[in-house]
C-alpha cells in the first residue's frame, strides 16, 4: 500500500491549486465529496453570490445568507457587499438542454431561480 505525505481536503479552486503546488515536493492525495471537481466551492472561492446555484441544500444556504449580506454594509459601515451580475446558462446539445430544463423545473419558484428565455423573443 502506498502512502501520501499530504492530504488535501476539497476539490475547489483552492484545494486543487494547493494540491498541484505541493505535488512538486510531496506525494499528495486530493479528496472531494462530490463526483466531479469542482462542483460548489469554486463559486464561493470566487466570492460569488448566485441564488439558484448548486443543489437544493446549497441553494437554501445561499438564499438564507442574502438578508445577512444585505444588512452587513449598514452594520459595518461599508459599501454594499453584493452587486448584481447577470448569469446565463447555455446548452450546446440535446442532452445538455434536457439537463438544463430539469434544473429549471427543480428550481422553479425559488428566490433568484433562473428562468428560461424564449429564443424567438430575443
Amino acid at each position: 500500500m502506498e502512502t501520501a505525505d499530504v492530504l488535501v481536503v476539497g476539490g475547489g479552486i483552492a484545494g486543487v491549486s494547493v494540491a498541484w503546488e505541493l505535488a512538486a515536493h510531496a506525494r499528495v492525495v486530493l479528496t472531494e465529496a462530490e463526483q466531479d471537481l469542482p462542483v460548489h466551492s469554486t463559486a464561493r472561492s470566487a466570492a460569488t453570490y448566485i441564488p439558484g446555484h448548486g443543489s437544493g441544500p446549497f441553494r437554501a444556504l445561499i438564499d438564507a445568507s442574502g438578508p445577512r449580506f444585505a444588512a452587513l454594509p449598514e452594520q459595518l459601515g461599508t459599501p454594499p457587499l453584493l452587486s448584481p451580475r447577470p448569469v446565463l446558462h447555455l446548452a450546446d446539445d440535446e442532452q445538455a438542454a434536457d439537463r438544463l430544463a430539469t434544473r429549471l423545473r427543480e428550481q422553479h419558484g425559488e428566490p433568484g431561480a433562473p428562468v428560461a428565455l424564449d429564443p424567438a423573443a430575443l
Side-chain angles (χ1 to χ4, degrees):
M1 181 167 97
E2 292 189 37
T3 61
D5 300 311
V6 178
L7 171 66
V8 176
V9 178
I13 287 175
V16 171
S17 298
V18 166
W20 186 83
E21 289 287 337
L22 291 173
H25 310 282
R27 291 173 298 176
V28 178
V29 171
L30 174 67
T31 62
E32 171 57 51
E34 299 290 344
Q35 293 179 358
D36 298 313
L37 297 177
V39 175
H40 305 288
S41 60
T42 297
R44 289 188 299 278
S45 295
T48 61
Y49 172 80
I50 306 172
H53 176 74
S55 63
F58 286 97
R59 292 192 311 266
L61 288 171
I62 291 167
D63 182 49
S65 66
R68 179 71 176 139
F69 277 120
L72 280 173
E74 184 177 327
Q75 294 171 358
L76 300 175
T78 65
L81 299 174
L82 300 176
S83 58
R85 302 274 196 286
V87 176
L88 180 63
H89 302 274
L90 300 173
D92 60 357
D93 61 25
E94 285 300 316
Q95 186 178 19
D98 290 343
R99 286 193 309 268
L100 182 55
T102 298
R103 181 184 297 170
L104 291 172
R105 283 192 301 276
E106 289 172 351
Q107 296 179 17
H108 181 74
E110 293 180 13
V115 295
L117 300 175
D118 179 4
L122 299 178

